Amino acid sequence: MNVLVVDDSAMTRMIARKTLKSLGVTDVRDAEDGVVALKMFEEETPDVVFSDWNMPNMDGLQLLKEIRQRNQDVPVIMITTEGSKPKVVAAINEGVSDYLVKPFTPATLEEKLGKWVGATS
Amino acid sequence: MTATATATATTQVLNPLIQAARDTFGLMLDSQVIKGDVSLHTIKDEFFPLTAVIGLAGAVRGSVCLSFSRELAANAVRQMAGIEGEVDSDLLRDTVGEFTNVIAGSAKDMISDEVSLGLPNVICGDNVKITFPDQACAMRARFDTDLGPFFLVFGLEAATIEL
């Protein structure tokens, strides 16, 4: 399984990597913003994308739009601290697959992985 | 906007921020947060060496700050990343910023949909002076955890939208 994690926080990326590793996922790439993530996405299509919402350079919503222009099928799960209705509606309109609320636990990350890409280990 | 509206906004914001701090430390660090006294914040009040500031706009506007002791930031990184020894300064700053982002974002959800958050900025040094909007009733609270102490400081004023 190939997972792309996008978050401007190095700590969050580190936690996601550690958690995914504990779930048996070893093929993890990470990016600090949407610009870097889109380049990685184009180089190799991941099985699932976990993306933060608020990031510099290119935010998660813009990244979602760019990904959907290239691929309609890859699950894109927005990692967010907030669930404001206008933002949720905007993301639904752009084809978001699901949400992961920060702070997340290994169990919730595993649940999302299982839901969108099948068993993790 | 009136003083009453700002006082109401301050009250309505305080409890969600405290709850969000407790939830975040509980989930991310498995650490219990003990709240100390809440008081008015003045320009002379001190901060810990690592302070993250995040701006809020919309129904309420102003800033929320989280100020971490180095001890707390380093212990948080060690625990979350599963590492030992010295922690890189960039990672300390990043961690304080991310905690502030998560706590402010979680609290925002309990306050209003009509509030938007900026990105956190992290300031290093304990001789920090942060000013808040003129009409804000700036508050501060000290918290203690088993990993170290932190301050929550915020100053928000109500805009024209009713909360």
Side-chain angles (χ1 to χ4, degrees):
Chain A
M1 186 189 304
N2 178 342
V3 178
L4 177 58
V5 176
V6 192
D7 199 304
D8 58 331
S9 164
M11 175 49 66
T12 298
R13 297 197 304 273
M14 198 180 281
I15 292 170
R17 266 187 179 277
K18 184 183 162 201
T19 307
L20 287 163
K21 190 178 174 187
S22 74
L23 297 173
V25 182
T26 52
D27 191 359
V28 182
R29 293 177 295 161
D30 62 59
E32 67 269 30
D33 63 33
V35 174
V36 177
L38 194 59
K39 192 164 178 284
M40 288 181 172
F41 187 94
E42 287 173 333
E43 286 168 1
E44 184 184 356
T45 306
D47 295 311
V48 61
V49 178
F50 287 93
S51 176
D52 188 21
W53 208 308
N54 295 320
M55 296 181 289
N57 302 323
M58 184 193 291
D59 68 13
L61 187 61
Q62 185 61 37
L63 174 63
L64 173 63
K65 286 182 190 176
E66 297 286 346
I67 288 174
R68 285 294 173 252
Q69 285 173 12
R70 293 160 175 78
N71 188 310
Q72 290 289 316
D73 301 323
V74 170
V76 178
I77 298 167
M78 300 297 286
I79 309 173
T80 180
T81 59
E82 43 175 313
S84 81
K85 287 171 195 164
K87 291 182 84 170
V88 169
V89 169
I92 288 171
N93 284 331
E94 296 300 337
V96 71
S97 307
D98 208 342
Y99 297 91
L100 181 64
V101 177
K102 284 186 191 175
F104 56 83
T105 62
T108 51
L109 186 57
E110 183 175 23
E111 179 198 326
K112 299 298 179 187
L113 272 179
K115 179 178 174 184
W116 289 101
V117 287
T120 53
S121 57
Chain B
M1 192 258 310
T2 65
T4 304
T6 290
T8 302
T10 300
T11 307
Q12 290 182 348
V13 164
L14 178 61
N15 287 331
L17 280 170
I18 292 170
Q19 187 60 48
R22 285 191 167 129
D23 292 348
T24 301
F25 274 80
L27 266 170
M28 293 180 80
L29 296 171
D30 195 22
S31 178
Q32 192 179 359
V33 169
I34 299 163
K35 181 176 74 65
D37 289 339
V38 177
S39 60
L40 291 173
H41 174 75
T42 71
I43 196 75
K44 293 177 182 171
D45 284 329
E46 293 181 348
F47 286 84
F48 285 123
L50 293 162
T51 302
V53 184
I54 193 162
L56 276 71
V60 292
R61 58 185 168 231
S63 304
V64 172
C65 313
L66 230 65
S67 186
F68 277 37
S69 63
R70 280 196 162 270
E71 171 198 16
L72 172 56
N75 284 335
V77 172
R78 290 188 193 107
Q79 185 157 323
M80 290 189 295
I83 58 175
E84 293 179 353
E86 283 296 304
V87 179
D88 179 76
S89 293
D90 287 345
L91 207 48
L92 291 179
R93 287 193 291 273
D94 179 276
T95 298
V96 178
E98 186 63 356
F99 266 85
T100 307
N101 184 39
V102 172
I103 290 171
S106 302
K108 181 199 107 53
D109 261 4
M110 296 181 242
I111 299 165
S112 168
D113 268 347
E114 304 297 329
V115 176
S116 58
L117 291 178
L119 292 169
N121 288 302
V122 181
I123 305 162
C124 297
D126 44 16
N127 189 23
V128 171
K129 306 294 178 203
I130 295 174
T131 57
F132 296 97
D134 287 344
Q135 301 301 318
C137 177
M139 309 286 288
R140 64 189 282 120
R142 180 189 165 110
F143 294 84
D144 285 290
T145 77
D146 48 357
L147 301 177
F150 68 94
F151 287 124
L152 168 68
V153 184
F154 70 95
L156 301 166
E157 62 181 7
T160 51
I161 300 166
E162 191 174 321
L163 287 173

